[in-house]
Amino acid sequence: MDQQEYGRYCLAMGGEEFMPEEGEQVEADHLYGFFQWFMPTGEGVERVFEPIPEGQRFLNRIRPIYAMLNPEDFTGESVPGYFNGGREQASNAELHRLGEELIRGLKRLFSIVAEDDEVADMAKEALQELESMKEVIVLPPGEIGKLEQRAVQGTNEDASDMVYEALGELLSSRTDYDEAIEILNEAYYSIACDYWVAYYLQWPRYQGLQEAENCLYPYFELYRYGYNLHWTQTTLYIGRR
């Protein structure tokens, strides 16, 4: 099944109203919000991955996002549009542990990039920054938003995007953009409007990186608990907006 056939296969799950016109190309944008169709229980989502090689691995990754949802939120006239975390509580000790585990996992990931790789320089810079991480700090609610705002305004000189940029470049270099599941790229992003959540859920796609397949699991857990991250050159901040 090629990308167009697979895109039509997925859109058909929504009925005729979602099908493209005859001769119209299916675009990734047509599937924005696709996984929301299976809210709140995830019933039927297994059909999405039946035509995909190693589809069970993708299914196993996505099932927990439905377990995050509260079915009572779907009984009224309006329902959630995204998979928002925060229903469960986590102690500061657990948040610290997840932050430290995330740093270790990313260090392991960037360490396997060969010196002659096209993204070797960025991976090396990200690894150096991760090696310089001195602490994980859990912030009171609302404080992480202030850090992010200062970073946007350019007034937080310590803020760093190196880890984000290096991870994006590395995964892009390990992606086959012609395979069928690429058509679900926007569907994955629209789960939480969070690239790292989308990366984690799509990890079976990334060629040559399966030994580090759980490196973003701590990030996914933090998202499930409703927390965001802010990186500086020496500190990982964790907090709720």
Side-chain angles (χ1 to χ4, degrees), residues 37-47 63 66:
W37 295 0
F38 305 94
M39 284 177 164
T41 65
E43 182 181 358
V45 75
E46 65 277 357
R47 291 183 296 140
R63 281 206 184 280
Y66 295 99

Side-chain angles (χ1 to χ4, degrees), residues 127-190:
L127 184 58
Q128 290 173 341
E129 190 159 290
L130 289 164
E131 294 282 4
S132 299
M133 287 284 155
K134 293 184 172 63
E135 58 185 338
V136 174
I137 295 178
V138 178
L139 296 170
E143 290 300 311
I144 200 163
K146 297 175 183 178
L147 287 179
E148 292 171 342
Q149 187 62 32
R150 289 203 292 271
V152 169
Q153 294 170 345
T155 57
N156 185 350
E157 296 180 1
D158 243 4
S160 176
D161 290 327
M162 176 50 63
V163 175
Y164 289 110
E165 292 172 4
L167 181 60
E169 289 295 321
L170 174 59
L171 298 187
S172 179
S173 73
R174 300 304 198 274
T175 297
D176 177 359
Y177 289 97
D178 294 322
E179 66 180 336
I181 202 168
E182 168 64 20
I183 203 73
L184 291 182
N185 188 45
E186 285 296 310
Y188 273 110
Y189 174 72
S190 64

